[in-house]
Structures are given as structure tokens and as C-alpha cells.
Amino acid sequence: MKGVILAGGKGTRLHPLTRLMNKHLLPVGKYPMVCYGIDRLRRGGITDILLIISKQSAGQYTDFLGSGAEFGVNLTYKIQEAAGGIAEALELAEGFILPGERFVVLLGDNLFLEDLTPYMEKYAEQPPGTAKVLLKPVEDARRYGVPVFDDKDASLIAYIEEKPEQPKTNFCVTGIYMYDEAVFGIIKRIAPSGRGELEITDVNNIYAGEGKLSYDVLKEWWSDAGTFESLQEAGQKLGNTLP
């Protein structure tokens, strides 16, 4: 299984820091944020990792991470020329993912303590052409994509509502996804949203509508480190978790 980390984006909620450097290179404890996603994939046995980055920060990434050998992985880089949505960034992994291969996608600002291995093993047992997302209970689900579960099969998601005013559950869809190469065909089926981006929720809702989107629930700490408060919390939780 391979890994893909999406680490472009402008991180506007973290201005003025992100005027200086890409959000995913901001320090979390002793290391840049992106290192924790790399480490979680490596701990799950994934050593072949694609980093999708913006051209403005490409030099910073390669200067610090290099080939990935220092972190026990093999890194490949691809540039997302302009912000066009998570699904557009994910589409750049086509070619890196070979026919028959499965892979884990992490949003670079999703930080967590959990071992991904059992979730990856369960996904490996699913039929080809299916997908899995990881969920987490949260206090205010209105900030996230919220899953609505299938009435007939509790192991599946019926659909995902993006930032609903009245969430039907208290779960959010984290930025941890599992796919095979079929996802690239699905990305080609969606159209840009009202904000002109290819949305990952639209991709996942196609899987859900076809009865092909399973889920698991993270048990340990998780955060999307997109605010100063969550960035500080992440430093406290993760500051000493890398070798």
C-alpha cells in the first residue's frame, strides 16, 4: 500500500505565519507539521509516499525532507500549480498509484495519535473499487463534513453533508481516506463546486451513493491543525512522539 499526503493550500486562518511559509511546514513541537503524517504512514508499514505541494514552497520541502531517507521513507513530489480543491490535488496521484494498488490519503494538517494499521488491514479486505473514510466524534460537527449512516447497512455511509447547520450525527469525516485507482475515474465524473474547486466530499458521495463507502472511528486524539489554538494543542500532544 502507498501513501499520499496533500500539503498544498494557503492556510489563511494561520496568517501571518503562513505568509512566511506553507502551513504544513509550521512547527508542531520539534518538527514541521507534515513530518507527523509521514511518521504515521511509516508506522503503518507505508514507505512509498507522494507529497502534493505548492510550487511556492517546493524548495522548503525538498531542503528539509529530501528523499525521505532520514525519516525511513521514499518521497516523491508533485506540484499543485494552483489551489483547485482536495480532489484536484488527489488527481495528481494518478500514475504514482499503479493498477491494483491501494493507498491512504492524508490531509497534511490532520494530526493524530492512532496507529492506522488495523484500519488499513480492514480496507484491504474490501472489494476493489470501494473506499473507506475515518471518522471522529466532535463537539461542533457544523464545522466539518458530517456522515449520515445507511439505514440498511450500519457499516456504510449513505451520504456526507458538508458543514450542515443541523448535523444529523456528532461525527466528522477526518482527512484520512483510503482508495484504489478507481478514485481517479470518479474524480473525472465530478464538476467544480460553487467556489470553483473539485471537492473531496463530492467524490466520497459518489462512493456512498453506490454503497461503496465504509468507515471506521478513530479512538485516540485527532485534530485538524488549522487554527492557532489547534496548532498549540497539537504541539502539546505530539511534541515528543517522533523518534
Side-chain angles (χ1 to χ4, degrees):
M1 197 173 283
K2 290 180 176 177
V4 176
I5 299 178
L6 306 183
K10 297 180 179 179
T12 53
R13 290 184 295 169
L14 289 170
H15 276 180
L17 283 178
T18 46
R19 290 169 57 187
L20 176 66
M21 67 174 62
N22 182 272
K23 170 176 65 174
H24 307 93
L25 291 171
L26 292 175
V28 174
K30 298 179 181 179
Y31 292 88
M33 184 188 301
V34 70
C35 293
Y36 295 93
I38 292 171
D39 183 64
R40 289 300 176 268
L41 291 175
R42 181 191 62 79
R43 290 173 187 242
I46 294 176
T47 56
D48 202 359
I49 299 171
L50 174 66
L51 274 180
I52 308 293
I53 57 179
S54 63
K55 61 182 178 181
Q56 293 86 353
S57 56
Q60 293 174 317
Y61 277 101
T62 55
D63 284 347
F64 186 83
L65 296 171
S67 68
E70 181 182 346
F71 297 90
V73 299
N74 177 44
L75 294 177
T76 301
Y77 300 89
K78 282 199 175 182
I79 302 294
Q80 186 180 20
E81 294 287 345
I86 293 172
E88 183 194 71
L90 176 56
E91 192 173 22
L92 295 174
E94 189 172 14
F96 174 77
I97 303 300
L98 302 178
E101 288 185 328
R102 299 188 179 210
F103 63 108
V104 179
V105 180
L106 303 182
L107 302 189
D109 60 357
N110 271 233
L111 300 173
F112 54 95
L113 290 170
E114 203 109 0
D115 178 5
L116 293 176
T117 305
Y119 307 117
M120 292 160 47
E121 289 174 347
K122 288 178 68 175
Y123 176 59
E125 296 174 356
Q126 291 184 200
T130 61
K132 179 184 287 292
V133 297
L134 298 187
L135 311 179
K136 183 69 179 175
V138 291
E139 291 185 3
D140 186 5
R142 294 175 299 175
R143 296 174 48 209
Y144 304 95
V146 176
V148 178
F149 302 111
D150 192 304
D151 289 335
K152 297 178 181 178
D153 187 341
S155 69
L156 299 177
I157 293 173
Y159 59 95
I160 298 168
E161 293 183 312
E162 190 63 32
K163 297 181 180 178
E165 283 298 318
Q166 296 182 323
K168 292 181 174 64
T169 72
N170 70 329
F171 290 96
C172 78
V173 178
T174 71
I176 308 172
Y177 318 106
M178 300 180 191
Y179 304 110
D180 63 14
E181 80 275 8
V183 73
F184 303 117
I186 289 179
I187 292 172
K188 291 175 173 60
R189 291 165 57 185
I190 66 173
S193 65
R195 59 179 184 169
E197 297 188 355
L198 296 181
E199 308 288 354
I200 197 67
T201 296
D202 291 341
V203 171
N204 289 331
N205 273 335
I206 289 179
Y207 280 108
E210 295 176 352
K212 297 178 179 178
L213 184 62
S214 70
Y215 68 91
D216 273 304
V217 179
L218 292 172
K219 301 174 182 65
E220 299 186 44
W221 176 86
W222 165 88
S223 177
D224 62 334
T227 67
F228 288 106
E229 293 76 16
S230 59
L231 191 65
Q232 183 178 20
E233 178 189 11
Q236 295 168 348
K237 291 284 187 180
L238 296 173
N240 296 312
T241 60
L242 288 183

